[in-house]
Amino acid sequence: GGGGGVNILGGGRIAFVIIIACAIGDWVSIKWDDRTNHRLHHASMYSSFAVPAVLSILEKRGRLFHGASLLGFALAFLSEAILMAGHPTPCLLEKKAHEVLGVTALLTAAFCVRWTVDPANSYARGLGLFCGALHGAIFILTGVWLGKFFSVPTETKKDGTVVASRRTWGPFDDSKKLDLTTEADIMMLHTLVALLVVMLGVVFILRLSCACQQRDAKLADGKLGEPDHAEEDHGLGA
């Protein structure tokens, strides 16, 4: 079955880099000093993204139908959405971030399937890449924000001035098992995500406009349907 699909990674260096990165992520997760189920939870998420990279390599060698790697990405994002839904946390801000990431992962999975079914559909391609880029940007942004910008006081003066503090993962005091999430934190999360949607959306609208212009030019020249060897070699749906 299949045929005519897109090998988004090209089956080359990018695919091998992703496999190596996933292996490193799994190793770090397993070595992490935390509960076994938490470590396996994170390792499962990283491992799932090695699947489309392996499929991309096999696809390039003619072992699988064209578009198999895109379906692999759909599986990986669907798996991540399930894992995000099953990642309970006492920190409300982190819980909200998981909900947002779950939604973007599901959207990306859906558009990857649509792109596989209709590889020539510029809108499916643009929306798939947009949702994937948005998901990755939110993942990085929330990770840096939760990990680097929150702390709890460990020593204060009588007037309440903080003398010393300890960095925490999000607004949560693990020593007291106390959630410190405020309304301002929730509003900031959604504000940052909304800004990312608008900024990346403008970029992808411009990129999609260029793609449509190129398609129209090929239609005019009678070249539509010719293989794009540059895309096949370099991957990432360039």
Side-chain angles (χ1 to χ4, degrees), residues 8 14 28-30 32-33 60 64 70 86 111 115 142 145 170-171 184 188 196-197 200 205 226 234:
I8 189 172
I14 295 176
V28 172
S29 297
I30 296 300
W32 189 17
D33 184 19
K60 183 179 181 180
L64 297 172
L70 261 182
F111 285 119
W115 188 4
T142 54
W145 185 34
M188 181 57 69
L196 278 175
V197 169
L200 284 175
I205 287 172
E226 294 184 1
H234 299 293

Side-chain angles (χ1 to χ4, degrees), residues 22 26 42-52:
C22 290
D26 286 338
H42 280 251
S44 298
M45 182 171 61
Y46 299 133
S47 297
S48 64
F49 281 92
V51 172

